[in-house]
Amino acid sequence: MNPPRSETLPLRSDEDLVRVRQAVRAWMVEQNFNLVEQTKMVTAASELGRNALVYGGGGSARLESPVDGGHGGIRVTFEDHGPGIADIAQALSNGFSTGGGLGLGLGGAKRLVKDFEIFSEPGQGTRVIITIRK
Amino acid sequence: MPTNNPSRIAEILARHQQAILEDWLLAQLAAFSARHNLISEADLRRQSADFIGIFGTACQAGTLTDIATPAWQPVRDFLASISRSRASQGFSPSETATFVFSLKQPLFAHIRQELAANAESLADEMWTATVLIDKLGLYTTELFQTAREEVIKRQQMEMLELSTPVVKLWDGILAVPLIGTLDSARTQVVMESLLQSIVDTGSNIAIVDITGVPTVDTLIAQNLLKTAAAARLMGAQCIICGIRPQIAQTMVHLGVAFGEVVTRATLADALAFAFREIGCTVSRQAPRN
Ligand SMILES: Nc1ncnc2c1ncn2[C@@H]1O[C@H](COP(=O)(O)OP(=O)(O)OP(=O)(O)O)[C@@H](O)[C@H]1O
Ligand SMILES: [Mg+2]
């Protein structure tokens, strides 16, 4: 159906984050995901992108489709080379923030997009992958 | 080295000022033929004559190899004002640099004429003139770039302000319809103008309509909550409306709640609530027969 494609966007500023949200929305619309699905994916992308920006000192977002040799779906990988997360369970828990935030972004993104993977090594950086299948 | 002997450029300029000016004007007009709508010939003539005068003075007073010295201050100031005005008039960077670069040819022609008999001194003076004009041209381009960036920044700020109008709906009731991405810079502007309007109008109710906001993530929610808290400190109540179904669902998953802040589905609902709060009743007139 869709030819394989991918796009890597930088995450260095607020404007970059806006572009990542717009790209994710455009890809979702192209694959006819409904408004609720679009909004969930875009909001999760916004949370993860901002974390990479704020805590990871900047990074990138890579969009890919299709997913796992299927006919469609979108995978977004957020990557930064910042300090990493020592205690992932704690970071995912509601209300935990080291930056004066609500502490809901990371856990919220996981609730919004079930297919959620996180890898982090202190001192190495963080990678979060969210996937929506068609 | 050309710097060892005093340069004769100043003297040549002074002697042929009028002729150089005329040739330079012709060169500029040729380059700008399509740009007559951006600058009038009279303005161009005046600017060019002024510049030749200031340029000649600097050549007489200062070293021709270092335009950062005080003797060149008037020239730098003049170029700064040219760059600024051209940036706002819509000239391109190369068109702006042409102002300086097109002086080369007429200046060279007169140097050549004067020093034709002395090949070595001719080469030296040509070199000095090239380096000098190149420096002034690059300086102008840099200034132009800075001026352009300032114009863009100002326009962005104007847009930020334009896109967040605070409107008075009724005595004591304000509304801000938010449209577009609420990044940190814009949220700050919205918050400040809303709080200022609360003071200015003595309002007790502020309705924030987020119908036009495509994504509400934790940071945006937190910013809205902060705005509501600040309004409350000033004795005003915030109502957030226009939370569309998909946004409401997303917020539930994120786990963000607007807490004590009153929320309504639509602006109409919010206004109805506000009227009740300030003790205003809206009634339909009985149909007249
Ligand atoms: N990419 C990252 N690199 C390093 N630390 C991170 C990263 N992402 C999250 N964290 C840590 O996990 C904590 C929780 O993240 P989460 O996104 O849930 O909350 P928050 O960003 O603090 O606030 P918000 O509710 O606005 O998202 C952060 O405060 C930070 O300490
Ligand atoms: Mg976060």
Side-chain angles (χ1 to χ4, degrees):
Chain A
M1 193 178 76
N2 298 310
R5 60 194 277 225
S6 71
E7 186 179 353
T8 304
L9 298 165
L11 274 168
R12 306 239 155 262
S13 64
D14 272 2
E15 291 78 58
D16 286 345
L17 186 57
V18 173
R19 274 189 281 275
V20 168
R21 280 202 297 256
Q22 282 169 348
V24 172
R25 187 176 299 276
W27 285 43
M28 293 291 287
V29 168
E30 231 167 75
Q31 294 195 28
N32 294 318
F33 284 104
N34 70 34
L35 203 49
V36 172
E37 291 167 320
Q38 284 171 33
T39 309
K40 285 182 175 177
M41 193 73 175
V42 171
T43 308
S46 186
E47 296 300 345
L48 301 173
R50 183 170 291 111
N51 283 352
L53 195 61
V54 173
Y55 302 108
S60 63
R62 178 180 161 83
L63 287 75
E64 289 168 88
S65 178
V67 174
D68 301 336
H71 284 304
I74 296 168
R75 169 167 292 153
V76 191
T77 305
F78 297 87
E79 199 166 46
D80 66 64
H81 299 284
I85 303 172
D87 186 342
I88 292 180
Q90 182 186 46
L92 280 165
S93 66
N94 283 355
F96 176 80
S97 173
T98 57
L102 295 174
L104 295 170
L106 199 59
K110 187 175 179 181
R111 287 186 292 273
L112 285 169
V113 182
K114 299 284 160 345
D115 199 332
F116 176 102
E117 294 169 278
I118 179 165
F119 309 91
S120 191
E121 279 290 333
Q124 300 290 305
T126 303
R127 182 191 300 144
V128 185
I129 306 174
I130 51 174
T131 308
I132 184 159
R133 286 161 209 278
K134 191 82 221 185
Chain B
M1 283 304 292
T3 41
N4 291 345
N5 312 319
S7 170
R8 294 194 50 206
I9 293 178
E11 171 207 326
I12 296 173
L13 250 176
R15 190 128 31 91
H16 301 282
Q17 183 158 337
Q18 196 55 38
I20 292 175
L21 174 62
E22 292 305 328
D23 290 352
W24 183 29
L25 266 173
L26 285 178
Q28 290 188 73
L29 289 172
F32 285 138
S33 55
R35 290 304 206 159
H36 272 230
N37 51 339
L38 290 182
I39 187 164
S40 74
E41 202 176 317
D43 280 344
L44 195 61
R45 174 173 282 276
R46 195 169 32 72
Q47 283 179 353
S48 304
D50 288 351
F51 182 78
I52 287 267
I54 298 172
F55 179 66
T57 312
C59 284
Q60 253 151 23
T63 149
L64 276 79
T65 47
D66 188 2
I67 63 162
T69 51
W72 288 91
Q73 182 70 45
V75 175
R76 294 198 305 268
D77 289 347
F78 188 88
L79 291 176
S81 90
I82 291 264
S83 302
R84 246 194 320 276
S85 69
R86 301 214 166 174
S88 61
Q89 280 165 346
F91 279 85
S92 74
S94 61
E95 282 168 338
T96 304
T98 298
F99 177 73
V100 175
F101 286 128
S102 59
L103 178 56
K104 257 189 196 176
Q105 205 197 358
L107 187 57
F108 282 11
H110 284 89
I111 294 175
R112 201 178 304 119
Q113 205 181 306
E114 282 279 321
L115 304 176
N118 185 343
E120 196 183 328
S121 138
L122 174 64
D124 282 352
E125 296 294 9
M126 288 290 230
W127 176 247
T128 307
T130 303
V131 173
L132 175 60
I133 299 235
D134 285 354
K135 277 183 188 162
L136 292 174
L138 287 177
Y139 181 74
T140 311
T141 311
E142 261 166 44
L143 287 173
F144 179 85
Q145 222 80 356
T146 316
R148 261 325 284 162
E149 275 155 26
E150 274 163 20
V151 170
I152 292 170
K153 276 225 185 76
R154 204 179 52 237
Q155 285 169 343
Q156 275 173 342
M157 279 315 293
E158 280 164 7
M159 273 181 50
L160 286 181
E161 281 156 18
L162 272 183
S163 56
T164 54
V166 179
V167 291
K168 183 173 167 179
L169 291 183
W170 199 262
D171 247 353
I173 306 176
L174 293 179
V176 221
L178 297 180
I179 293 165
T181 302
L182 278 185
D183 58 22
S184 339
R186 246 195 89 193
T187 314
Q188 195 63 31
V189 173
V190 173
M191 191 159 153
E192 279 163 17
S193 65
L194 178 62
L195 297 177
Q196 189 56 48
S197 305
I198 289 174
V199 178
D200 293 346
T201 60
S203 297
N204 349 67
I205 300 207
I207 301 175
V208 180
D209 182 7
I210 61 170
T211 311
V213 178
T215 329
V216 176
D217 61 12
T218 52
L219 184 68
I220 291 169
Q222 192 182 25
N223 283 327
L224 289 168
L225 285 168
K226 280 184 187 162
T227 308
R232 198 176 310 130
L233 283 177
M234 299 171 56
Q237 184 183 7
C238 239
I239 307 171
I240 296 176
C241 70
I243 304 169
R244 288 163 299 150
Q246 66 273 23
I247 302 272
Q249 249 177 295
T250 308
M251 287 180 61
V252 170
H253 279 93
L254 279 178
V256 287
F258 282 138
E260 299 158 45
V261 182
V262 175
T263 57
R264 285 294 180 269
T266 65
L267 183 57
D269 293 339
L271 186 58
F273 175 88
F275 277 145
R276 268 199 307 282
E277 284 293 294
I278 63 168
C280 227
T281 47
V282 183
S283 61
R284 218 181 283 275
Q285 269 189 346
R288 275 178 264 164
N289 280 336

